[in-house]
């Protein structure tokens, strides 16, 4: 069976104000924001080159961004590593995600910090 491999995904949302309850995985705000992030990240990654091998992302946390109203999203995403996947190319995936988020500016109704997208870095 193919091995499941993980990579990290981080980005900062500039129109989601960070609040203390976003640090508590048991809070209602954490859970609802996490659900929205799954919706957006999963649909993007399913459309990417790793799409057929992509198995999902898990939000590992939210933290305060550089500015008061920013929230940084930390996630660990997984894919099945098998022969039909040429090799995991984080640069290529970064480019694809960058393009799909309008040069790292939009994720659904959220605005992104252009310099905040990191794939496995």
């Amino acid at each position: 069976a193919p091995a499941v491999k993980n990579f990290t995904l981080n980005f900062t949302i500039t129109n989601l104000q960070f609040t203390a309850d976003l640090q508590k995985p048991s809070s209602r705000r954490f859970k609802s924001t996490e659900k929205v992030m799954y919706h957006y990240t999963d649909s993007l990654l399913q459309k990417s080159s790793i799409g057929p091998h992509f198995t999902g992302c898990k939000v590992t946390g939210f933290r305060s961004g550089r500015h008061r109203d920013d929230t940084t999203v930390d996630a660990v995403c997984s894919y099945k590593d098998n022969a039909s996947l040429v090799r995991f190319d984080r640069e290529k995936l970064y480019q694809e995600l960058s393009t799909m988020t309008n040069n790292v500016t939009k994720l659904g109704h959220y605005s992104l910090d252009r310099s905040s997208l990191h794939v496995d870095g």
Side-chain angles (χ1 to χ4, degrees), residues 10-12 66 94 103-104 112-118:
N10 316 86
F11 53 90
T12 300
R66 280 194 305 221
Y94 173 87
N103 283 329
V104 196
L112 299 176
D113 174 337
R114 271 192 112 113
S115 61
S116 70
L117 178 66
H118 298 284

Side-chain angles (χ1 to χ4, degrees), residues 9-112:
L9 183 65
N10 316 86
F11 53 90
T12 300
I13 297 169
T14 57
N15 61 341
L16 174 66
Q17 189 165 5
F18 182 78
T19 53
D21 56 351
L22 277 174
Q23 284 179 302
K24 298 184 195 93
S26 58
S27 77
R28 183 179 279 144
R29 185 149 191 249
F30 182 101
K31 288 184 167 124
S32 66
T33 307
E34 178 185 45
K35 234 181 221 130
V36 174
M37 290 308 124
Y38 288 146
H39 169 75
Y40 288 132
T41 55
D42 284 7
S43 66
L44 285 181
L45 288 161
Q46 282 162 358
K47 288 183 222 144
S48 75
S49 57
I50 68 162
H53 311 284
F54 173 68
T55 57
C57 289
K58 169 120 186 68
V59 172
T60 55
F62 298 105
R63 55 192 159 92
S64 177
R66 280 194 305 221
H67 305 288
R68 198 172 58 86
D69 290 343
D70 296 358
T71 297
T72 296
V73 179
D74 297 318
V76 173
C77 303
S78 308
Y79 64 95
K80 287 191 178 87
D81 190 21
N82 62 18
S84 66
L85 180 65
V86 180
R87 71 179 177 86
F88 178 75
D89 183 340
R90 70 187 194 95
E91 308 250 314
K92 180 180 179 187
L93 187 58
Y94 173 87
Q95 286 306 325
E96 292 172 342
L97 293 175
S98 176
T99 302
M100 290 189 272
T101 56
N102 198 21
N103 283 329
V104 196
T105 58
K106 285 211 108 22
L107 182 64
H109 60 278
Y110 292 113
S111 300
L112 299 176

